[in-house]
Amino acid sequence: MLSARAFNPRHFRGLSTRALSTTAQRMQYGFDLTEDQAGFQATARQFAREQIAPAAAALDQSGEYPWELIKQAHGLGLLNLHIPEEYGGLGLHSLDGSIITEELSWGCAGVQTAMEANGLAQMPVILAGNEEQKAKYLGRMTEEPLMASYGVTEPHAGSDVAGIKSTAVKQGDDYVINGSKMWITNAGHANWFFVLAKTDPNASAGKAFTGFIVDADSPGVTLGRKEINMGQRCSDTRGLTFEDVVVPKANVLGKEGEGFKIAMGAFDRTRPPVAAGAVGLAQRALDEATAYAQERKAFGTAIANHQAVAFLLADMAIGVETARLITRRSAWEVDQGRRNTYYASIAKAYAADVANKSATDAVQVFGGNGYNSEYPVEKLMRDAKIYQIYEGTAQVQRIIISRALLSDQ
């Protein structure tokens, strides 16, 4: 960070020395981590390398939910990062959380997704919950390793959130929810769900939906089978069915009709950590490819000495560094109290593309070995794809970005 001494007043005509000094003090712009952030990063990095990474291949093969790792992460304070301190959490800033998430994803993106899904489910409660809801549903998450799920996507309504068909009909002081959800992360292990349902079929999308907190053990909640996905296989993904599920009025988030706004607001906060997860995977791909290229020999020398391979590594590095920058910018915008929709969508779209390209290039560097499950990069390639799909596809992010650009004209 530049100090006042770095400025020469003679180079800035019309500005006084005092003004320059004040400007320098207010800039607060730099790339160094704070002492606390460096500590968070070191803890997450050690945990990822010593605990998550060694277990990743076995978890990928078995599809087993990573409960033991989640319990360890909870004990280390690596779960529920954004729960405010008054409810037992750390109350970390968005940038702090993104730094931690990147490190965890380096170890295994599937494990990281299972952990990060808690943050997605909790965010609507953090943003719109009243004191009783926060104390009850956020407080319990810090007392023991519990999981929560974000129940929005439906079989025929993914990126098109306005197409949700699940309904919530008011009956006395309760609401009765009917409908189905799909691709719900952590569903099989959730203690509670955030659920978006239609309460006014005649209203526009902005006013038609209401957000609810639904206890997982509520009568009428039925879990589907665990889906066997292309990658991130230890992350539990299922369908949900709600059949005459009674939810008390006390579990409505915000006011009736505010659900769509709450859900979209949550995405602005959770897309930076999703992008950070993609950066962590891309960094892992670069690290694995760089190490392998220095060990593997062809034509009498390490393949890293061949320009074709060296340039692949260079392009991967360019992608990783730039994706990290925009990801942290999108998180930093939240911490400044500004709406970050534009930057969050850029970060999510770009980091997801970088993760996929980096993983694909890592497989190329490994050659035939990269195509084999005995080596780590084929898993990275499978794990990377979902970053271009969940929490808004790559195409939806570009719609959001272009609309933001055009609305400013």
Side-chain angles (χ1 to χ4, degrees):
M1 184 172 67
L2 293 175
S3 67
R5 295 178 181 177
F7 288 87
N8 186 337
R10 291 176 295 179
H11 295 164
F12 298 87
R13 294 182 180 179
L15 295 178
S16 68
T17 303
R18 181 178 179 181
L20 287 166
S21 178
T22 301
T23 300
Q25 292 173 2
R26 290 180 179 175
M27 279 181 67
Q28 298 294 317
Y29 189 81
F31 298 100
D32 291 333
L33 302 184
T34 66
E35 184 177 347
D36 285 344
Q37 288 168 343
F40 297 143
Q41 184 186 58
T43 299
R45 180 171 293 180
Q46 182 177 1
F47 181 63
R49 283 158 172 71
E50 295 181 1
Q51 302 299 326
I52 298 179
L59 289 170
D60 178 64
Q61 292 170 4
S62 69
E64 179 185 354
Y65 193 70
W67 261 123
E68 290 306 312
L69 290 172
I70 287 171
K71 292 175 183 177
Q72 293 177 48
H74 186 273
L76 290 170
L78 298 175
L79 275 184
N80 311 312
L81 304 175
H82 306 304
I83 292 179
E85 292 182 274
E86 55 264 38
Y87 307 109
L90 294 175
L92 296 187
H93 293 304
S94 183
L95 179 56
D96 303 334
S98 292
I99 291 167
I100 292 170
T101 296
E102 179 186 330
E103 296 299 330
L104 297 178
S105 186
W106 189 98
C108 175
V111 172
Q112 180 271 320
T113 290
M115 295 181 183
E116 188 58 44
N118 256 17
L120 176 59
Q122 293 162 4
M123 193 54 65
V125 182
I126 293 173
L127 293 177
N130 57 40
E131 290 302 313
E132 291 76 16
Q133 291 168 340
K134 291 178 181 178
K136 181 178 181 179
Y137 288 99
L138 298 180
R140 69 175 67 169
M141 307 297 285
T142 65
E143 295 168 359
E144 58 180 309
L146 297 175
M147 310 310 287
S149 287
Y150 186 86
V152 173
T153 299
E154 295 189 357
H156 302 290
S159 295
D160 180 17
V161 177
I164 286 175
K165 298 187 182 303
S166 293
T167 61
V169 178
K170 192 172 184 181
Q171 294 185 1
D173 289 332
D174 300 323
Y175 287 82
V176 179
I177 298 179
N178 282 281
S180 60
K181 301 293 180 179
M182 191 59 194
W183 310 118
I184 307 303
T185 305
N186 283 350
H189 303 277
N191 180 264
W192 54 269
F193 301 95
F194 166 74
V195 175
L196 193 65
K198 184 173 288 188
T199 47
D200 186 348
N202 299 315
S204 62
K207 297 181 180 180
F209 301 100
T210 300
F212 299 89
I213 304 172
V214 180
D215 289 296
D217 60 359
S218 299
V221 176
T222 303
L223 296 176
R225 66 179 178 87
K226 173 181 165 61
E227 299 294 332
I228 308 303
N229 294 324
M230 174 182 179
Q232 300 197 13
R233 291 176 175 170
C234 68
S235 172
D236 185 90
T237 308
R238 300 173 189 252
L240 285 172
T241 301
F242 298 91
E243 186 174 357
D244 294 331
V245 177
V246 178
V247 180
K249 182 180 179 181
N251 280 28
V252 173
L253 277 174
K255 298 178 181 179
E256 184 175 311
E258 293 182 343
F260 187 84
K261 179 181 177 181
I262 293 169
M264 295 303 101
F267 279 142
D268 284 347
R269 301 296 185 94
T270 59
R271 278 174 180 151
V274 169
V279 174
L281 187 151
Q283 181 68 63
R284 175 70 180 276
L286 174 59
D287 292 345
E288 295 287 356
T290 301
Y292 184 83
Q294 292 173 308
E295 296 172 359
R296 175 74 170 178
K297 289 182 170 55
F299 304 102
T301 187
I303 61 173
N305 294 326
H306 297 296
Q307 189 180 73
V309 174
F311 278 15
L312 278 177
L313 300 176
D315 285 340
M316 292 166 69
I318 291 169
V320 169
E321 295 294 343
T322 53
R324 180 178 292 121
L325 285 174
I326 187 56
T327 295
R328 293 187 178 179
R329 171 66 187 271
S330 70
W332 181 81
E333 287 289 329
V334 174
D335 297 337
Q336 305 311 302
R338 296 193 287 260
R339 185 176 179 182
N340 75 327
T341 306
Y342 174 73
Y343 292 107
S345 288
I346 292 176
K348 203 275 185 181
Y350 183 65
D353 289 349
V354 166
N356 276 269
K357 185 177 186 305
S358 295
T360 300
D361 287 348
V363 170
Q364 193 68 25
V365 170
F366 273 68
N369 289 337
Y371 197 66
N372 188 277
S373 61
E374 292 297 315
Y375 294 83
V377 290
E378 66 87 25
K379 176 182 179 296
L380 297 179
M381 189 173 178
R382 289 187 286 106
D383 287 349
K385 185 57 191 175
I386 193 62
Y387 285 112
Q388 293 177 318
I389 300 173
Y390 65 8
E391 287 212 35
T393 65
Q395 290 71 35
V396 165
Q397 302 311 317
R398 286 163 171 81
I399 291 173
I400 295 170
I401 296 163
S402 61
R403 285 178 178 173
L405 285 172
L406 296 173
S407 67
D408 290 337
Q409 300 305 311

